[in-house]
Amino acid sequence: MNVLIVGVGGQGTLLASRVLGQYAILRGQDCKLSEVHGMSQRGGSVVTHVRIGDKIHSPVIWEGGADVVLAFEALEALRVKHYLKSDGALLVNDEEILPMPCITGAAVYPENIKDTLKAAVKRTHFIKAQEMALAAGSEKATNVVMLGALCKILSFDYALMREAVVKSVPPKFMELNVKAFDIGFNAVNL
Amino acid sequence: MKDLMLTNKAIARGAYEAGVAVLSAYPGTPSTEIAENFAKLDGVYAEWAPNDKVAVEVALGAAVAGARSMACMKHVGLNVAADPLFTAAYTGVNAGFVLVVADDPGMHSSQNEQDSRYYAKSAHVPMLEPANAAEAKEFVKLAYELSEQFDVPVFLRETTRVAHSHGLVELEERIEKPLKNYVKDASKYVMMPANAIRRHVTVEARDNALQEYVNTMPINRAEYTNENELGIVCSGAVYEYVKEALPNANVFKIGTIHPIPVSAICEFSKHVKELYVVEELEPFVEDTLKANGIACKGKELFGLQGELSVRKIAEKFGVMAGAVVEPEKVPARPPVMCAGCPHRGVFYVLNKLKLTVNGDIGCYTLGAVPPLSSVDTCVCMGASVGMAHGFKKATKGESRNVAVIGDSTFLHSGVTGLINAVYNRSGITLIILDNSTTGMTGHQQHPATGKDLQGNPAPVVLLDELCKACGVKDLHIVDAYDVKAVEKAVKEATASEEVSVIIAQRACALLDKTKQPVVTVENCKNCGVCMRLGCPAIRKGANGIEIDPLQCRGCNVCVQVCPFGSIKKA
Ligand SMILES: Cc1ncc(C[n+]2csc(CCOP(=O)(O)OP(=O)(O)O)c2C)c(N)n1
């Protein structure tokens, strides 16, 4: 299982990968994660690779090799669309964050990303994860809402994923995150 | 029970288990987390050194004194630290000394793509290269054995994809290493010509012994799947890509990148049809094999630049299934200075005054990207000061240039450039952007922050006093958020004939996460001046600019640059 997580620096993509790693451990499977720290975190695109299986070699996913892309921002989903397998799934947080070239007018933020993606990828799901996280109690739980939805889309073991979330967040935010997870899980209809 | 662990953390763990007592490092992506994780372990000493060279000297001192030690840095740090390293290869170590160096193929966060493997060869220092987190921990321990067995510093090389990947790691107990006896031995530890000439003989003999020994090490191994078919020689992350892309290939996995196990690979080559070397960056392994008469191919398939991947390798060997989907053409999302970054206003002023800017390495290098586009040069840590001096000398003092440097970078190697400028009377203006942290690499402490690696209070090196002690008389201290004060100081400093230093103070906006009051907009005239700041919290709306209240840090720099008073103070 190859999960590519993309977003904008500071969106909490790292926690999402940790939870998936925890899920792999709970299932007794091999797992590798890959992320890039440093320069790219200053509001730039961030990409995290998660691979789970019986024996994993490469920590990075290749173009055409992702089973699912978990995108925290729409433009970032479009940017990595070519990483998906032909039957891959795409889960996008329905949010647009302008990159600096679009803010200054040097480039234009693409219109109708949602339609483009839906036309290109059959299994595309957009969810308003940020709003749902707010409903659960805090915007910070956006990543966990996304994980709830991912759990449904990939038919992951619900109880184990929930446990992975609990194990990955500080105890005082457990209730909030479990709530966020369930909201995300129930937000997608297959 | 296995832990899913970052390789850099696994290296720290390996050092801990190997009984390492002293670690010294200077931050640098992708190596930084080694020191940060080691510092959290019990019963060890760890520190941030002011630069990469000092880190190596500290670790060498500790090793000679009898304690296992480690120094960590990124590839360019090794350039700075090369001086002690080359001679440490002559003195040898007493207790084990491992130098971790992290290369960055693809330049995720570096100013060049140098290949540190050549340092191993030219410094006569063995180098191990692990492929993943579990191996990294194991190789660290092995590196200490090797270091003590052959009385030599040992490199552990990683690349970004290894350093910043997680894998499953089994924890083991620490084996305490009592302090070894240090015995005075000038012929070994005092490297002046007469002694060094004799030590060079030892170095050569050791090289020869190591060249033999590595062929017997299990970390250099042949993995046969289909004898007399394709054979691949590889190491590090590339080994993992090859195993994924070419599961049917015979693979020779190199664990010691220097010395390369030439005899073992020669034997391997006899059992395969065609031999390929798959390696990132330079043809280091390929050239060595060819020089030893082993026929192989490598760089004719793969270039010298960037990272390899499963896909690239599979495509070259014609085994990739599925058509290639071209990436979508979309606007780039480059990293930007954060909202509230104290560096922003300074660059705005430098632009306004149309100054040439000799920049340096840190978050403030982002002053080079649009719309600020302020920085003219950026080469290596500390270079801003020397280059500004060179500009002045070349133009007989006519150039209207300033040097801009961060606080950590100034202490790293900017201060020597300042001493030079004072001594050689160039009258440069140096602006120290003092944000009380090493921002770019993720907020590490340094000698001027008042805290040590563990976050405990530490003696403070005062930047203003340091500049004065270097002979600087024209010194200005300003609040980096006060645009007027910055402009006044820059005007005065650049007008002055003598060396001037401006310390622009304000803590990094990411250090204080408490919510600040935000600025508001009334009657925007759409003049676009604030857009020149490149603040991610300011965007164009339907009726003039809009402020994103979630991002705004209330620094009020935009308030000060708005010519119409339309942006209201937070
Ligand atoms: C020789 C060397 N060592 C380490 C690094 C990694 N590095 C890049 S910028 C930087 C320091 C930045 O800190 P500072 O100068 O305080 O500027 P800030 O990022 O806080 O604005 C470091 C350590 C490097 N580029 N070169």
Side-chain angles (χ1 to χ4, degrees):
Chain A
M1 174 65 56
N2 299 336
V3 186
L4 194 70
I5 308 175
V6 298
V8 177
Q11 274 192 313
T13 51
L14 288 188
L15 178 79
S17 68
R18 300 298 195 277
V19 173
L20 290 171
Q22 192 62 50
Y23 177 73
I25 291 179
L26 290 173
R27 285 179 57 98
Q29 284 189 293
D30 193 11
C31 176
K32 280 188 181 159
L33 316 178
S34 172
E35 59 211 23
V36 170
H37 309 190
M39 196 80 169
S40 54
Q41 286 185 320
R42 300 276 170 268
S45 306
V46 284
V47 183
T48 306
H49 307 246
V50 181
R51 302 196 61 212
I52 301 173
D54 293 335
K55 169 76 187 158
I56 300 294
H57 276 293
S58 168
V60 260
I61 301 166
W62 49 97
E63 295 93 329
D67 293 287
V68 60
V69 166
L70 186 63
F72 283 61
E73 199 271 350
L75 176 62
E76 297 313 306
L78 194 56
R79 193 187 306 286
V80 299
K81 181 174 65 80
H82 62 293
Y83 270 81
L84 275 177
K85 290 180 181 169
S86 52
D87 61 347
L90 181 56
L91 172 62
V92 189
N93 174 26
D94 199 350
E95 201 193 339
E96 299 191 343
I97 303 174
L98 294 187
M100 192 48 72
C102 297
I103 292 180
T104 61
V108 182
Y109 193 95
E111 276 176 35
N112 307 325
I113 292 186
K114 203 187 269 191
D115 297 339
T116 312
L117 288 172
K118 281 187 170 161
V121 183
K122 213 171 94 205
R123 297 168 64 201
T124 294
H125 302 267
F126 271 76
I127 64 166
K128 298 218 172 283
Q130 206 164 337
E131 281 175 22
M132 294 177 200
L134 265 177
S138 163
E139 212 176 20
K140 292 221 168 77
T142 304
N143 44 16
V144 177
V145 171
M146 294 286 284
L147 287 171
L150 183 80
C151 179
K152 179 77 146 293
I153 290 169
L154 297 180
S155 310
F156 274 3
D157 184 320
Y158 170 81
L160 271 193
M161 265 295 269
R162 223 163 169 258
E163 193 183 335
V165 169
V166 169
K167 285 202 145 123
S168 308
V169 300
K172 64 174 173 175
F173 297 122
M174 190 189 82
E175 218 167 303
L176 160 76
N177 281 297
V178 167
K179 204 165 150 195
F181 182 79
D182 284 343
I183 294 179
F185 187 83
N186 294 319
V188 277
N189 300 308
L190 296 177
Chain B
M1 171 70 190
K2 287 183 172 179
D3 275 20
L4 188 60
M5 201 183 262
L6 184 73
T7 296
N8 278 347
K9 188 173 175 184
I11 290 175
R13 180 73 204 185
Y16 175 76
E17 291 174 5
V20 170
V22 175
L23 179 146
S24 187
Y26 184 68
T29 315
S31 71
T32 312
E33 303 83 3
I34 303 169
E36 289 173 335
N37 281 294
F38 188 75
K40 291 178 195 153
L41 297 163
D42 288 336
V44 298
Y45 174 78
E47 66 174 27
W48 288 131
N51 70 30
D52 325 75
K53 175 176 182 279
V54 173
V56 166
E57 290 156 351
V58 170
L60 177 63
V64 170
R68 283 191 169 185
S69 70
M70 180 174 269
C72 318
M73 60 207 54
K74 68 183 291 168
H75 60 345
V76 287
L78 191 53
N79 301 334
V80 179
D83 201 5
L85 175 75
F86 273 66
T87 306
Y90 280 45
T91 62
V93 294
N94 194 17
F97 167 26
V98 173
L99 199 171
V100 185
V101 60
D103 279 3
D104 189 17
M107 291 181 274
H108 296 281
S109 32
S110 303
Q111 70 266 35
N112 75 24
E113 208 170 14
Q114 75 186 43
D115 190 333
S116 298
R117 296 178 298 176
Y118 289 92
Y119 270 109
K121 190 169 178 174
S122 56
H124 304 275
V125 169
M127 177 180 268
L128 309 189
E129 181 173 34
N132 55 51
E135 244 184 44
K137 185 167 83 78
E138 180 197 329
F139 278 27
V140 168
K141 294 186 183 181
L142 205 58
Y144 282 100
E145 298 299 324
L146 206 62
S147 175
E148 288 174 4
Q149 186 183 339
F150 288 88
D151 189 24
V152 63
V154 174
F155 272 124
L156 188 86
R157 180 207 190 218
E158 52 173 0
T159 54
T160 302
R161 291 301 184 182
V162 175
H164 285 169
S165 66
H166 288 66
L168 296 174
V169 176
E170 188 100 45
L171 301 191
E172 292 157 287
E173 291 299 312
R174 173 174 167 93
I175 297 177
E176 287 297 343
K177 292 277 165 184
L179 192 68
K180 276 186 151 185
N181 200 20
Y182 162 72
V183 184
K184 181 169 172 147
D185 181 356
S187 70
K188 185 171 187 289
Y189 295 120
V190 181
M191 285 303 94
M192 49 194 193
N195 294 338
I197 286 168
R198 276 190 295 267
R199 286 300 297 177
H200 198 175
V201 177
T202 310
V203 170
E204 195 179 326
R206 185 182 65 208
D207 271 359
N208 293 336
L210 274 162
Q211 182 63 69
E212 283 301 311
Y213 182 75
V214 291
N215 291 299
T216 68
M217 290 177 78
I219 62 167
N220 294 315
R221 62 167 189 264
E223 299 174 0
Y224 292 109
T225 47
N226 284 300
E227 284 207 37
N228 301 318
E229 290 295 329
L230 177 66
I232 307 274
V233 178
C234 52
S235 73
V238 177
Y239 164 78
E240 305 285 19
Y241 304 156
V242 166
K243 291 296 274 189
E244 195 94 39
L246 309 169
N248 296 320
N250 302 298
V251 172
F252 191 96
K253 183 179 186 300
I254 299 182
T256 60
I257 208 70
H258 180 74
I260 292 173
V262 175
S263 316
I265 295 175
C266 185
E267 183 58 30
F268 175 74
S269 72
K270 291 176 190 150
H271 296 269
V272 302
K273 192 164 74 188
E274 258 190 309
L275 189 69
Y276 284 89
V277 177
V278 184
E279 58 189 324
E280 288 171 330
L281 305 179
E282 308 291 323
F284 182 79
V285 175
E286 184 183 348
D287 285 351
T288 306
L289 297 190
K290 283 179 173 164
N292 283 280
I294 301 171
C296 59
K297 291 183 186 159
K299 287 299 164 187
E300 45 197 288
L301 256 65
F302 301 100
L304 304 177
Q305 295 169 35
E307 296 184 289
L308 293 178
S309 69
V310 172
R311 169 137 224 143
K312 280 184 191 166
I313 295 167
E315 276 174 359
K316 289 291 180 195
F317 288 96
V319 297
M320 196 74 204
V324 192
V325 181
E326 282 302 311
E328 204 80 27
K329 287 211 165 46
V330 295
R333 190 186 297 278
V336 290
M337 270 183 203
C338 308
C341 176
H343 303 335
R344 179 171 285 109
V346 175
F347 286 113
Y348 174 83
V349 168
L350 300 181
N351 272 346
K352 188 175 166 196
L353 300 178
K354 298 198 169 54
L355 291 161
T356 297
V357 178
N358 297 112
D360 220 300
I361 309 232
C363 286
Y364 49 93
T365 313
L366 294 169
V369 299
L372 284 166
S373 308
S374 169
V375 175
D376 288 80
T377 62
C378 167
V379 175
C380 70
M381 290 191 80
S384 59
V385 199
M387 287 185 73
H389 176 73
F391 264 63
K392 285 283 182 207
K393 289 297 175 192
T395 59
K396 302 206 162 33
E398 290 300 307
S399 63
R400 286 183 32 79
N401 64 310
V402 297
V404 176
I405 197 168
D407 44 351
S408 183
T409 304
F410 177 68
L411 291 170
H412 176 279
S413 50
V415 64
T416 40
L418 180 63
I419 291 168
N420 180 56
V422 170
Y423 171 54
N424 288 308
R425 309 176 196 90
S426 66
I428 62 162
T429 293
L430 170 64
I431 303 173
I432 303 175
L433 301 172
D434 179 9
N435 62 356
S436 310
T437 190
T438 317
M440 182 83 269
T441 45
H443 300 115
Q444 290 74 33
Q445 306 295 343
H446 63 63
T449 64
K451 289 200 176 139
D452 62 16
L453 167 54
Q454 289 75 8
N456 299 321
V460 194
V461 172
L462 299 168
L463 295 179
D464 51 346
E465 295 299 328
L466 178 59
C467 292
K468 281 186 211 160
C470 292
V472 174
K473 303 216 166 50
D474 188 30
L475 187 73
H476 309 251
I477 295 176
V478 292
D479 176 357
Y481 281 168
D482 187 341
V483 179
K484 241 196 208 120
V486 171
E487 184 171 340
K488 179 167 174 280
V490 175
K491 278 182 174 158
E492 285 172 11
T494 49
S496 141
E497 296 279 301
E498 57 183 334
V499 172
S500 308
V501 172
I502 300 167
I503 303 178
Q505 297 175 327
R506 187 53 89 152
C508 169
L510 297 182
L511 287 179
D512 178 9
K513 294 229 162 74
T514 55
K515 194 69 202 132
Q516 303 294 330
V518 303
V519 304
T520 47
V521 189
E522 278 169 30
N523 301 321
C524 172
K525 305 271 190 295
N526 248 323
C527 70
V529 171
C530 61
M531 294 301 291
R532 289 182 215 154
L533 291 170
C535 176
I538 308 178
R539 61 157 93 181
K540 274 207 173 86
N543 306 303
I545 62 132
E546 290 168 358
I547 304 289
D548 177 354
L550 290 176
Q551 288 206 58
C552 177
R553 300 288 304 162
C555 73
N556 292 322
V557 168
C558 56
V559 175
Q560 300 167 69
V561 307
C562 176
F564 301 104
S566 301
I567 309 180
K568 305 291 176 203
K569 221 172 149 167

